[in-house]
Amino acid sequence: MVKLELKNKIFKKPWPYWVGGIVLGLLNILLLFTTGAAWKVTTSFLYLGAGFLEIIGVNPSEWHYFSAYDNQLKHGETYFNNSLILMSAAMVLGSLLSVLLASQFKFKKLKNKKQFVFALIGGILMGYGTRLSFGCNIGAYFSAIPSLSLHGWVFGIFMFVGAWIGSKILFKYIL
């Protein structure tokens, strides 16, 4: 009985925000300590795209973006074989495992075509924006603030302002 109650408490019921924040903070410190690098997500997607382009014969490593901003691959690493790809794959698999353990995995039907179009446009804009800002909310906010970087606080303020404006637009014009 105690095991079932503990399992439900850990896997089925939502954790308090402060517990999740502490766990994420400790994991971020552990990552920084063990790898010497901050947590990044979007760069791995950039590497996946560049790797697929290489497969079809395009050489993205010659592009200005990679030469000007250093592709950050260490000696011997490729677009498909590097620590960022491994970390992102672990994050996706860990997320999948957590929803499976909580019995929360399900496919949702789209309400309408408008929802699909706005989701697609939003995803493209978010991806483009992360490359312009050299990171998403993980690298630009979550990893920046613990390393005492001012840009993390500026990003955080504008992220919340943007989310507030975006939610107003969403409820007024889209939903």
Side-chain angles (χ1 to χ4, degrees):
M1 184 67 177
V2 174
K3 283 185 178 182
L4 181 62
E5 190 175 311
L6 183 62
K7 181 183 174 195
N8 284 339
K9 190 172 187 173
I10 293 174
F11 295 115
K12 301 275 186 186
K13 296 181 181 175
W15 291 4
Y17 290 125
W18 64 270
V19 172
I22 290 172
V23 169
L24 284 174
L26 292 174
L27 287 173
N28 198 15
I29 291 168
L30 179 66
L31 176 72
L32 189 58
F33 180 72
T34 56
T35 66
W39 188 15
K40 300 176 188 176
V41 176
T42 58
T43 304
S44 60
F45 294 118
L46 171 74
Y47 288 165
L48 283 175
F52 285 121
L53 285 174
E54 273 191 340
I55 289 172
I56 63 171
V58 178
N59 192 2
S61 58
E62 293 178 354
W63 294 354
H64 175 72
Y65 179 87
F66 288 102
S67 62
Y69 300 111
D70 184 26
N71 68 13
Q72 302 171 359
L73 291 174
K74 296 178 184 132
H75 182 69
E77 289 184 335
T78 66
Y79 290 126
F80 289 120
N81 180 20
N82 59 69
S83 60
L84 292 177
I85 294 291
L86 179 63
M87 193 177 348
S88 293
M91 182 180 63
V92 169
L93 290 174
S95 299
L96 176 62
L97 181 61
S98 69
V99 296
L100 289 174
L101 287 171
S103 302
Q104 294 294 313
F105 184 82
K106 57 187 163 196
F107 289 101
K108 286 187 169 183
K109 185 178 178 186
L110 292 174
K111 293 178 183 176
N112 53 44
K113 290 179 185 175
K114 187 168 123 177
Q115 181 186 21
F116 173 77
V117 169
F118 278 108
L120 184 64
I121 291 169
I124 291 169
L125 288 173
M126 286 174 59
Y128 185 69
T130 59
R131 286 295 87 208
L132 288 177
S133 66
F134 299 106
C136 62
N137 57 341
I138 300 297
Y141 174 69
F142 186 68
S143 294
I145 288 177
S147 58
L148 304 177
S149 178
L150 176 63
H151 87 275
W153 291 101
V154 172
F155 180 89
I157 291 166
F158 284 97
M159 179 178 62
F160 285 108
V161 168
W164 181 78
I165 292 170
S167 66
K168 295 293 182 190
I169 292 170
L170 179 70
F171 286 117
K172 185 167 183 158
Y173 297 108
I174 299 171
L175 293 179

